[in-house]
Amino acid sequence: MFKFPQNLACLAVTLLFLDASANAIPKFHYARDVGKQLFPRLETNYVDCSAPDKARLKTGFADAAALGNIAFDMDQSSTAFTHYLRSEDASKAKSLWSMVAANNDPTNAPYTFSVRCAKKDDTSCKGGASLAITDAQPEDGAHAREMKICPLFFTADQTKNDLDSKKYDGDKRGSWCQKGQHFKDFETAGHTLLHEMTHLDSLAKAAGLPSRGEGGDASHGTDDVDGFGDDYVSAARGLLDAWVNHRDDLAEGALQPFQNAENIAAAATGEYIFVLNTDASPSLCCPRDMFR
């Protein structure tokens, strides 16, 4: 993953805005390299997406909304919360989850963005290694920022499942509750899309997050933390540990857990698995394993 210093996210202007932003510092959020509107959105918000890909994304955005709704009611004593967030992060995290869910009304959403399906030869998808790229620059006039969905999104293990792809069917092969699973076994397309949505300046600004960076690098959106390894889930836990146990070692203005996209997304996915077990007891889902 390409890194900028001081935990500034790796962003870049999307192809749609390259000409208009030729003199600006490029800002791209590269969503989780491999090895590393919610509910139906307005049809015009999807660009260059085939009918099957659009249907897949609509389900993913609906799942992101479901994750946000469940996470909003999360108790701070929940393991899903304590593995990724501090009590100081709670209000900002809840605001982010609320804003993700608030995009369920495409006619009156509190922020806007467009979705573009990238071509196979799109070089901004890092040679096929990225799932998605989100432009986190503040909106420029009437131009909504863009979330680019890379081809890998439609084939990768991290995004192959939706929330209803498996059942809560006890310790059976193919069940969400199968024993021995770890966090990545519970990831869904909605998890990645929630992660990506929090990068949007417009969403995070509506959620009340402070702006980070200066000049052309300033954005309210969440970041992707640097310095804790390439595994995004482990990095999220490492960031939390640094704030809880090694705060004096952190640089001034260091990224806080509520400002890291994966801390927000992972807590939401963990809480969903804990509480929305409509077909089985929550005890069947091996919560201790999923946080390893």
Side-chain angles (χ1 to χ4, degrees):
M1 182 184 294
F2 182 64
K3 306 290 185 183
F4 278 113
Q6 297 181 350
N7 294 338
L8 288 178
C10 180
L11 299 169
V13 227
T14 61
L15 296 180
L16 183 62
F17 302 113
L18 278 176
D19 291 340
S21 306
N23 296 320
I25 298 174
K27 294 177 73 177
F28 267 126
H29 266 288
Y30 282 90
R32 307 178 337 193
D33 299 344
V34 166
K36 192 186 168 184
Q37 232 99 232
L38 296 176
F39 301 98
R41 295 176 54 78
L42 292 174
E43 295 298 311
T44 54
N45 284 353
Y46 291 94
V47 181
D48 294 336
C49 297
S50 66
D53 288 351
K54 187 186 296 184
R56 182 84 176 85
L57 287 167
K58 285 183 176 182
T59 298
F61 280 117
D63 283 356
L67 292 171
N69 278 322
I70 288 294
F72 182 81
D73 292 325
M74 189 188 314
D75 191 278
Q76 292 183 35
S77 64
S78 168
T79 303
F81 187 95
T82 59
H83 271 68
Y84 297 100
L85 298 164
R86 310 162 297 164
S87 59
E88 300 98 307
D89 300 312
S91 62
K92 292 294 191 293
K94 284 180 177 290
S95 292
L96 284 168
W97 292 321
S98 177
M99 281 298 108
V100 168
N103 194 241
N104 64 350
D105 181 2
T107 64
N108 191 33
Y111 56 91
T112 59
F113 64 102
S114 63
V115 177
R116 179 183 296 273
C117 293
K119 305 298 184 184
K120 291 183 178 179
D121 59 353
D122 191 323
T123 57
S124 66
C125 285
K126 301 185 71 177
S130 287
L131 296 171
I133 308 166
T134 298
D135 184 355
Q137 287 186 314
E139 291 187 2
D140 179 15
H143 295 289
R145 291 310 185 192
E146 184 175 84
M147 181 187 297
K148 183 180 293 184
I149 307 299
C150 295
L152 186 63
F153 178 92
F154 299 102
T155 60
D157 287 343
Q158 299 98 313
T159 48
K160 69 181 180 181
N161 287 320
D162 298 315
L163 293 178
D164 63 354
S165 293
K166 302 178 184 180
K167 294 182 179 180
Y168 295 96
D169 196 20
D171 183 19
K172 296 181 180 179
R173 185 176 180 83
S175 167
W176 285 122
C177 306
Q178 181 179 343
K179 289 184 178 178
Q181 298 187 113
H182 305 304
F183 185 87
K184 290 187 177 181
D185 296 305
F186 295 91
E187 288 189 58
T188 61
H191 174 104
T192 289
L193 293 176
L194 187 155
H195 173 119
E196 287 302 300
M197 290 178 70
T198 67
H199 286 322
L200 291 163
D201 176 82
S202 56
L203 182 152
K205 186 175 182 180
L209 266 66
S211 178
R212 301 183 68 252
E214 299 179 358
D217 281 328
S219 176
H220 296 82
T222 62
D223 222 323
D224 291 320
V225 70
D226 194 3
F228 293 92
D230 291 333
D231 182 277
Y232 45 90
V233 177
S234 294
R237 297 171 189 166
L239 176 62
L240 175 65
D241 178 71
W243 274 96
V244 172
N245 298 313
H246 308 284
R247 186 166 183 168
D248 291 343
D249 297 332
L250 294 171
E252 183 179 356
L255 195 71
Q256 298 187 57
F258 75 83
Q259 294 172 312
N260 186 51
E262 191 58 24
N263 288 70
I264 299 299
T269 288
E271 186 68 4
Y272 186 94
I273 295 299
F274 277 148
V275 305
L276 202 63
N277 301 325
T278 56
D279 298 325
S281 166
S283 63
L284 295 177
C285 279
C286 309
R288 292 181 181 177
D289 282 352
M290 77 169 292
F291 284 103
R292 292 177 184 169

